[in-house]
Amino acid sequence: MGILANAFTWWNGATFGTWLGLRGKTQVGTDDLGNAYYQGGRDTNGNPRRWVIYSGSNDASRVPPEWFSWLHHQIEGTPDESLPPVRQWQKPPIANQTGTALAYRPPGVLDKGGARVRATGDYEAWSPDA
């Protein structure tokens, strides 16, 4: 089912048409998540065209910041050659957690009981009569 799924769906990896479109393009690198990055041809502004082929689901939040910079022409060379090494205090990026058990849920949300902190008296409701 894997080959057929890739032929007709885009949300769980590159489609067959995308792989055909990458013929003649150069793979310039991969990131720690296994995403592959390609470059080749020119866009209408004369800039080199750049692509990411996701390893797994197609989720843009899975592109690390350094490769995001490369994809959007903020840096010319690949991150390995253009950016300084990662510092010891830097945390690794994480994908968007929306829709998962790790998503942020503020106090008062229904998942946490739906009770929020009461207003402190500095709030005055709007009335159309006033």
Side-chain angles (χ1 to χ4, degrees):
M1 179 71 183
I3 293 173
L4 287 177
N6 270 358
F8 300 107
T9 61
W10 56 266
W11 52 86
N12 59 359
T15 62
F16 184 68
T18 302
W19 285 112
L20 285 178
L22 289 176
R23 287 181 298 155
K25 310 303 188 251
T26 307
Q27 183 176 353
V28 296
T30 58
D31 62 21
D32 294 337
L33 297 173
N35 300 328
Y37 299 89
Y38 291 85
Q39 179 171 297
R42 299 265 173 202
D43 66 10
T44 56
N45 294 325
N47 295 323
R49 297 272 325 247
R50 295 175 175 175
W51 293 269
V52 58
I53 301 298
Y54 298 100
S55 171
S57 64
N58 292 345
D59 180 8
S61 71
R62 295 182 65 235
V63 175
E66 59 271 9
W67 281 103
F68 178 90
S69 298
W70 179 82
L71 281 171
H72 294 271
H73 300 281
Q74 294 172 347
I75 59 175
E76 279 304 312
T78 60
D80 298 338
E81 59 192 36
S82 297
L83 297 176
V86 177
R87 294 188 173 94
Q88 181 181 9
W89 48 265
Q90 287 178 301
K91 292 183 178 181
I94 57 172
N96 187 350
Q97 302 297 311
T98 302
T100 69
L102 299 175
Y104 172 71
R105 290 178 177 83
V109 73
L110 292 177
D111 289 351
K112 289 190 170 185
R116 65 175 182 84
V117 179
R118 294 194 50 80
T120 59
D122 61 348
Y123 173 77
E124 185 178 323
W126 176 80
S127 172
D129 298 333

